[in-house]
Amino acid sequence: MEKEQAPRWWAVVAVMIGIFLLVTAEQLPIGLLSQVASSMDVTPGIAGLMVTVPGVVAAFSAPLLPVAVGRLDRRIMLTLLMVVMVIGSVLSALASSFILLLGARVLVGVSIGGYWAVAGSIAPRLVPSDKVPKAMTIIFGGVAAASVLGVPLGTLLGDLSNWRIAFGALGGFSLLTALALWCWLPPLPPREPVRLKVLAQQFTSRGVRVAVLVTGFVVVGHFAAYTFISPILQEISGVAQRHVGSLLLLYGAAGILGNIAAGMFAGRHPYRAVLAIPSLLLLVVASFPLLGVEPVSGVLLLMVWGAAFGSVSVSIQTWILRTAPNTEAATALMAFVFNLSIGLGAMVGGRVVDATSLPITMWAASGLFLLGALLVWRTPATIVGEKHR
């Protein structure tokens, strides 16, 4: 935080809304997959590229954009990235072919990666140090809120009208958010321009290396399974398709609760918070094909799944603030890994589903959660300032 600066909660809220819209944009095709595939005359597997493409693009824009813009004020950068989001959303709504739709999704990916790389590191510049955990909980609450509100409401809007209307509405809200960012954020010149050398230096920290690997395992595993949550609920749990949107609302609500709980817990116990995430996901996803075979049990497992994954962003970012030599550079690397993992997870999950079955895909994802849990377990808790496990 800048000296003698009062808390800027409206700025925190604006950043959170941006995260909310970006995550909604990235994941909205999951809810509209069947509709877009039918409209564009492509298979569901090919339509899944709408998730893979922006994820991969966001991964590379996350570390490279902060390097490219150098000393550009972060207020200007975040505002411009939301404008890019507006353009990408509008072009998605107007696309006349699937190739053009993927091209528009490239712009969305650029916006996601660059925005996330900066947003996660500016909380300490907007509020006093004792308010940083609260500010981070609010900012990354946008991730869970996208699940509880953005994706389900976008899916509902697409179901009631057309998938193009859903993408167009996303563009309209993004324009309003760009204006809010410009009006509410203070000037935010970078304290130290991010350079490629600085990015590489982050790996000298064991804490950063562990955070990067755990994030990769968790996010690839999650999206390998969650991208196909609609057929999972229908085919494994026997849920009618008309109820899937409502259940995603409950999933997102659980994610918000998980984010809030993690925000309070991770500030004091970041090691335990990060260890709990892959452990819970392992138990839930591995047992889903065996225990989630009825609507009630499937919904209960889905809620725990949502709460566990909803806690990822704030827990990992708290770990990063404790261990990174340069928090903006490390956050950019985390955004790279997170978004690349989303794209890889959706792609790998699609290949496994097509080649085998939904249960095998979920068990394969569980193997990645196991690797993540073991990695954290073998890392000393003192690396993030905890005395005991």
Side-chain angles (χ1 to χ4, degrees):
M1 175 194 169
E2 310 295 349
K3 290 185 178 180
E4 306 300 329
Q5 184 177 6
R8 297 178 181 269
W9 291 112
W10 281 112
V12 172
V13 170
V15 175
M16 181 273 290
I17 294 173
I19 288 281
F20 165 80
L21 290 172
L22 291 166
V23 174
T24 298
E26 190 166 24
Q27 298 183 22
L28 183 58
I30 294 175
L32 299 174
L33 201 67
S34 299
Q35 191 181 142
V36 175
S38 176
S39 173
M40 291 292 185
D41 195 26
V42 296
T43 66
I46 295 297
L49 290 173
M50 290 188 296
V51 179
T52 299
V53 167
V56 173
V57 172
F60 287 95
S61 68
L64 296 180
L65 266 182
V67 172
V69 300
R71 295 186 177 275
L72 180 67
D73 190 295
R74 279 10 185 182
R75 174 198 184 199
I76 297 174
M77 181 180 177
L78 291 179
T79 303
L80 289 177
L81 286 169
M82 286 310 300
V83 172
V84 173
M85 173 71 173
V86 173
I87 297 171
S89 298
V90 171
L91 291 179
S92 295
L94 298 176
S96 59
S97 70
F98 189 70
I99 294 298
L100 292 177
L101 177 56
L102 288 184
R105 297 289 291 169
V106 168
L107 293 179
V108 173
V110 170
S111 180
I112 292 168
Y115 191 100
W116 200 317
V118 175
S121 64
I122 65 173
R125 304 185 64 184
L126 299 177
V127 299
S129 58
D130 62 324
K131 303 294 183 183
V132 168
K134 180 179 179 180
M136 287 181 52
T137 299
I138 293 173
I139 288 174
F140 288 107
V143 177
S147 298
V148 71
L149 292 176
V151 174
L153 288 179
T155 302
L156 181 62
L157 179 58
D159 289 341
L160 293 176
S161 56
N162 185 279
W163 64 269
R164 296 180 186 274
I165 300 296
F167 282 114
L170 197 57
F173 284 117
S174 298
L175 179 58
L176 293 176
T177 303
L179 294 173
L181 288 166
W182 182 254
C183 293
W184 293 344
L185 281 175
L188 292 169
R191 289 171 169 170
E192 179 183 348
V194 177
R195 307 197 186 285
L196 291 176
K197 180 180 179 181
V198 177
L199 289 172
Q201 288 173 347
Q202 304 313 299
F203 287 106
T204 61
S205 165
R206 181 177 179 181
V208 172
R209 295 196 302 271
V210 170
V212 165
L213 289 172
V214 171
T215 299
F217 290 140
V218 167
V219 178
V220 170
H222 171 76
F223 279 94
Y226 180 71
T227 299
F228 305 95
I229 193 62
S230 180
I232 285 171
L233 290 172
Q234 294 176 62
E235 298 177 22
I236 294 178
S237 301
V239 173
Q241 183 177 1
R242 65 180 182 276
H243 297 313
V244 171
S246 300
L247 291 179
L248 291 182
L249 282 171
L250 293 177
Y251 168 90
I256 287 180
L257 293 177
N259 177 74
I260 294 172
M264 295 186 293
F265 186 73
R268 293 175 286 122
H269 305 290
Y271 178 88
R272 298 178 196 181
V274 172
L275 178 61
I277 292 168
S279 302
L280 278 174
L281 289 173
L282 169 62
L283 291 174
V284 171
V285 178
S287 65
F288 205 110
L290 304 175
L291 302 179
V293 293
E294 298 290 338
V296 173
S297 59
V299 170
L300 290 175
L301 287 171
L302 182 67
M303 298 305 98
V304 180
W305 189 346
F309 193 73
S311 65
V312 169
S313 297
V314 66
S315 299
I316 293 291
Q317 186 63 29
T318 301
W319 180 296
I320 285 293
L321 290 178
R322 295 283 188 95
T323 61
N326 181 303
T327 55
E328 183 171 319
T331 301
L333 287 175
M334 292 305 301
F336 167 81
V337 174
F338 202 104
N339 286 285
L340 182 62
S341 299
I342 289 174
L344 289 176
M347 181 176 66
V348 170
R351 293 293 181 88
V352 177
V353 164
D354 288 343
T356 57
S357 65
L358 289 171
I360 290 178
T361 302
M362 301 185 81
W363 290 326
S366 301
L368 294 175
F369 299 144
L370 176 61
L371 290 176
L374 290 175
L375 179 60
V376 180
W377 178 254
R378 291 179 61 84
T379 301
T382 52
I383 203 167
V384 288
E386 284 195 50
K387 295 181 179 180
H388 305 289
R389 296 186 179 187

